[in-house]
Amino acid sequence: MKELNEKYTAIVRERFEENIKSGNAAVKYMESSTAVYRGQPVACLYMPKIFSWQAWEFLQKATLDICGILDKVMSRYLNDAEYRKLFPFPASLEELILSEAGYSRLLPIARLDIFFNEEDFSFQFCEFNADGASAMNEDREINNAIRTSDAFWEMSKEHELKTFEFFDSWVREFADIYADYSPNAPTKPRIVITDFMENSTPNEFIEFKKAFQKAGYDTDICEIRDLQYSDGVLKTPDGKKIDAIYRRAVTCDIMEREAQVKPFLQAARDNAVCIIGHFRTQIIHNKAVFKILRMPETLAFLTEDEHAYVLRHIPETLPLEDGAFDLADVLENKQNWIIKPEDLYGSRGVFAGVDMSPADWATTVAESTNKSYLLQRYCPQYKSINLDFNDNPHPNFQEFNNLTGLFTYNGKLQGIYSRAGLMGTISPFTRGLTLASVYSE
């Protein structure tokens, strides 16, 4: 994998002026593309991340391993009242998590983010995104932006560069889950993709809607607040019966707005509609699971290999509470720690000691203690060279930290999402940038 990416970089260096033109053309494409986040075009780096077949096979196995472990954790939560006490869920959310889903798959869709070393294939998990896992359209559009670039064409003369497909494949997996939920359904279900639209990625929803419609499904995109429920039937705002929901509304947003989504929540409690994914995905979406995975109560029901996997790949995670951590060590060795909220998304409320002055870090630790935050061992990130044309039409090569997202559909690795940045955290708030992800045999 390292050789493939170094070869691509060498092509860009050798044909630099041609690639300067291609890099600026890619930025222009992205500015008018459907890859938009919070009203702004998604910023990307020029050179893709190329995954070798060895890396792809390794990550497939790593995904199967962690999904097997997460399934065990979710199953234990659902069946063991004592184990449930380890999780920080209020009674109203626990009720929704324990409500009947109607199908067997515990984790239908997720993006599992890791810090992946491209040279020795070591890795540590960063977070598990189950509720509202997104960015499939970003990868599609960024691949479109660079596919006609000079370096991509030159590299393709010797190596076939394949993109990952996220839309039609999800329709097939979704259909399998619905068949489990309603095996005797006479017709294809009417599907609704739903979210709080002010927080959504509407262009991505449109791509999924197209894929569902291409497969013959009547599909709508609906504001979750506007869904109607009566006589045991969940309906669209214009009164059409809904058979299946592709839930993109994140659980913490739903719980903050319970009063605004009562029809949807009652339908969920009554199992009146197939909800993919069900609220039980929150068991592993909440970052507290990182702490719980390493606890004796969890390690006790894992196999020896699973036990070793957790200790090797799940970073040490502690509650940021008085008496639960060594304050002197955390303040003195800030580069070793990162603070994360238990249940926010989009990297909100995340603070890395490496990015902060000692005084600011001390203040942040003090202000976050006893307020549902976690303290996690910081994982140094793999660095690679790339070009950022977004604010500079003639940039220099820079070294970026890397983050790798594993899109899993029904427990299997479907594709990869790549991001990079210059800070200790990689997010929209720290100018994180997306890379096209491709695969080469």
Side-chain angles (χ1 to χ4, degrees):
M1 182 173 173
K2 184 173 185 289
E3 291 174 3
L4 286 168
N5 286 286
E6 286 180 344
K7 185 172 184 178
Y8 197 101
T9 303
I11 291 172
V12 175
R13 291 185 186 276
E14 291 165 7
R15 302 173 59 84
F16 195 62
E17 290 308 314
E18 292 90 338
N19 282 283
I20 287 291
K21 294 176 184 177
S22 293
N24 284 293
V27 169
K28 193 168 185 178
Y29 175 91
M30 290 301 296
E31 288 175 347
S32 59
S33 77
T34 63
V36 176
Y37 182 75
R38 298 191 182 277
Q40 297 296 319
V42 171
C44 65
L45 293 174
Y46 177 56
M47 296 191 295
K49 181 65 62 180
I50 307 173
F51 292 85
S52 64
W53 70 266
Q54 295 99 330
W56 174 245
E57 288 193 342
F58 176 85
L59 292 172
Q60 283 182 306
K61 174 63 165 58
T63 300
L64 287 172
D65 289 342
I66 189 60
C67 285
I69 292 168
L70 296 179
D71 274 358
K72 284 188 174 182
V73 169
M74 295 173 76
S75 180
R76 180 59 63 106
Y77 179 96
L78 296 173
N79 294 291
D80 187 338
E82 284 301 309
Y83 191 65
R84 287 199 287 272
K85 293 177 182 178
L86 300 177
F87 291 78
F89 303 141
S92 57
L93 177 53
E94 181 176 296
E95 178 195 6
L96 289 165
I97 293 171
L98 296 177
S99 65
E100 179 57 53
Y103 54 85
S104 59
R105 170 52 62 186
L106 294 174
L107 187 59
I109 186 169
R111 197 188 76 224
L112 314 177
D113 290 349
I114 62 173
F115 297 115
F116 181 56
N117 187 308
E118 299 170 19
E119 297 177 43
D120 63 13
F121 287 8
S122 60
F123 68 93
Q124 292 237 303
F125 283 97
C126 172
E127 63 181 6
F128 306 135
N129 300 284
D131 298 354
S134 65
M136 300 82 158
N137 190 51
E138 281 183 32
D139 181 78
R140 184 185 71 87
E141 285 285 42
I142 293 169
N143 268 288
N144 288 340
I146 67 160
R147 190 169 293 142
T148 59
S149 67
D150 179 85
F152 196 95
W153 277 103
E154 287 294 316
M155 188 75 171
S156 297
K157 291 177 182 178
E158 295 184 38
H159 302 274
E160 184 179 4
L161 302 179
K162 302 177 182 178
T163 58
F164 299 105
E165 194 286 310
F166 296 115
F167 296 92
D168 295 335
S169 52
W170 174 237
V171 171
R172 293 190 294 270
E173 299 292 346
F174 192 102
D176 284 347
I177 296 171
Y178 186 76
D180 185 14
Y181 177 87
S182 185
N184 299 315
T187 59
K188 290 187 173 182
R190 176 178 289 114
I191 296 167
V192 159
I193 304 167
T194 191
D195 200 348
F196 296 96
M197 288 304 161
E198 71 271 19
N199 296 337
S200 72
T201 50
N203 291 330
E204 184 164 274
F205 293 2
I206 290 168
E207 292 302 317
F208 277 112
K209 179 179 178 179
K210 289 177 184 176
F212 278 115
Q213 289 178 326
K214 183 172 66 174
Y217 295 93
D218 184 356
T219 307
D220 289 313
I221 300 169
C222 293
E223 162 64 51
I224 192 170
R225 297 178 181 93
D226 296 338
L227 300 179
Q228 304 170 4
Y229 185 59
S230 60
D231 300 323
V233 176
L234 189 67
K235 300 177 183 179
T236 63
D238 58 356
K240 291 186 291 186
K241 178 180 182 292
I242 302 168
D243 299 304
I245 291 280
Y246 173 20
R247 179 171 76 96
R248 290 290 296 258
V250 179
T251 298
C252 65
D253 287 346
I254 290 175
M255 301 313 292
E256 288 174 2
R257 300 166 175 83
E258 285 185 80
Q260 301 174 32
V261 291
K262 287 182 178 179
F264 173 77
L265 291 178
Q266 193 58 52
R269 294 185 184 99
D270 295 345
N271 190 25
V273 63
C274 179
I275 300 175
I276 305 174
H278 186 268
F279 282 96
R280 60 194 182 189
T281 62
Q282 180 68 4
I283 299 167
I284 64 94
H285 181 86
N286 188 291
K287 294 179 182 66
V289 76
F290 277 76
K291 172 188 66 177
I292 295 165
L293 276 166
R294 294 176 63 104
M295 293 176 68
E297 292 90 336
T298 299
L299 297 175
F301 61 76
L302 300 182
T303 67
E304 186 175 331
D305 286 345
E306 290 169 338
H307 185 142
Y309 184 100
V310 165
L311 297 184
R312 187 164 58 248
H313 300 300
I314 300 296
E316 178 187 5
T317 307
L318 306 169
L320 190 53
E321 298 173 358
D322 289 331
F325 64 98
D326 185 335
L327 178 59
D329 174 67
V330 168
L331 295 180
E332 184 177 347
N333 300 292
K334 65 184 182 65
Q335 73 281 359
N336 294 336
W337 298 99
I338 188 167
I339 292 172
K340 296 181 177 182
E342 288 182 347
D343 195 21
L344 291 176
Y345 61 93
S347 295
R348 290 180 296 160
V350 176
F351 306 97
V354 293
D355 292 334
M356 306 179 75
S357 69
D360 287 345
W361 175 247
T363 298
T364 301
V365 170
E367 292 178 347
S368 304
T369 299
N370 301 321
K371 294 181 180 177
S372 298
Y373 277 81
L374 298 167
L375 187 66
Q376 191 170 83
R377 183 74 62 175
Y378 182 77
C379 179
Q381 294 149 35
Y382 186 80
K383 298 179 184 295
S384 62
I385 298 295
N386 217 306
L387 290 167
D388 179 4
F389 283 90
N390 292 283
D391 297 317
N392 186 352
H394 206 288
N396 295 317
F397 286 92
Q398 288 180 282
E399 194 173 59
F400 292 86
N401 294 324
N402 284 236
L403 182 65
T404 301
L406 309 176
F407 280 112
T408 68
Y409 291 177
N410 280 339
K412 303 181 293 292
L413 180 60
Q414 179 61 36
I416 298 174
Y417 172 61
S418 300
R419 285 182 292 168
L422 299 172
M423 303 283 286
T425 58
I426 299 172
S427 77
F429 305 106
T430 58
R431 208 175 181 281
L433 301 137
T434 308
L435 295 75
S437 298
V438 296
Y439 161 78
S440 176
E441 296 181 347

